[in-house]
Amino acid sequence: MNAPIIQLLVLAGIAVFLILKLRSVLGTREGFEKPPVTIERRRNPGFEVIEGGPDRDIVDNVPDGSDAAKALAAMKRVDGDFAVGDFVQGARGAYEMILMAFEHGELADVKPFVSDEIYEAFADVVEDRAQRGLTIESEFIGVSDIAITEVEFDEVSREADVTVRFIGELTYQVRDAAGDVIEGNATTPKRQKDVWTFSRVMGSDDPNWILVATGE
């Protein structure tokens, strides 16, 4: 056996040894496997506060440095699960739910989400309609604008009041006892502005905000 062939056999043996050694250390992969990913669980996902910078969750909803922004920051310090963006989305849903329950006279469904005073005021209007034989036909279309206008927070009692302005769109008509339309139009949407105040004790076990005041 000549020298070149011997050298080739020696090199092949070394290569096989190295391949076996690497397989034992690294293991094997099939196809294009993704490396393992570590997921860090954070409160209020989607909102990141840069050290020394503004909290985007707050300044995206109220002016930076305003009294409302300071109150919201204090609320977040007390309740780490509170996010302003989540509150705004929840308020949007509550507005539709409560408004349509009032229009349709189905207040029992929303009683847990309104104060006793608001419930009684709504109930009085619904009862007056019934006595006059009026029927409301209404369909909610959506909220064209929503904004936080005022925030108050008592750091001692931890009670927070957040006032929100809504501009909603809905179809609306009123029929009398004879079934005749006496107000509104079923095909032409109307814009309705409402200013509602929601209240909650921050950090409490009850996550629900309660409607405590209404206005225009």
Side-chain angles (χ1 to χ4, degrees), residues 192-210:
Q192 177 167 317
K193 177 183 175 181
D194 291 289
V195 179
W196 288 7
T197 299
F198 298 90
S199 182
R200 177 177 178 257
V201 176
M202 304 305 294
S204 66
D205 293 334
D206 186 355
N208 291 325
W209 290 80
I210 303 299

Side-chain angles (χ1 to χ4, degrees), residues 22-172:
L22 287 171
R23 286 170 62 90
S24 67
V25 174
L26 300 177
T28 59
R29 290 181 181 270
E30 297 179 357
F32 296 95
E33 296 183 355
K34 296 181 180 179
V37 178
T38 301
I39 300 175
E40 180 182 359
R41 186 175 179 225
R42 296 181 180 178
R43 288 182 174 181
N44 302 335
F47 300 108
E48 182 179 357
V49 181
I50 301 174
E51 190 68 26
D55 184 340
R56 300 306 311 179
D57 181 39
I58 293 177
V59 300
D60 284 349
N61 292 282
V62 298
D64 188 16
S66 64
D67 289 342
K70 294 174 184 177
L72 290 170
M75 290 160 60
K76 295 183 75 169
R77 287 194 296 270
V78 169
D79 190 338
D81 291 326
F82 172 66
V84 184
D86 290 344
F87 167 82
V88 171
Q89 291 304 313
R92 182 191 297 268
Y95 177 69
E96 176 182 355
M97 178 180 67
I98 296 171
L99 177 62
M100 299 315 294
F102 170 68
E103 298 290 4
H104 297 154
E106 300 170 349
L107 297 178
D109 294 340
V110 298
K111 189 172 184 179
F113 307 105
V114 301
S115 68
D116 292 341
E117 292 78 8
I118 294 295
Y119 183 84
E120 290 174 4
F122 284 178
D124 287 344
V125 175
V126 171
E127 178 62 24
D128 179 65
R129 289 179 194 157
Q131 291 180 355
R132 295 164 59 190
L134 303 180
T135 303
I136 307 297
E137 297 177 355
S138 181
E139 181 178 352
F140 191 80
I141 298 174
V143 175
S144 61
D145 185 60
I146 179 172
I148 294 175
T149 60
E150 186 177 357
V151 184
E152 295 183 359
F153 180 55
D154 187 328
E155 296 195 46
V156 177
S157 66
R158 295 188 174 184
E159 183 174 351
D161 293 326
V162 183
T163 301
V164 184
R165 183 189 69 243
F166 302 92
I167 297 180
E169 295 187 6
L170 63 157
T171 59
Y172 176 89

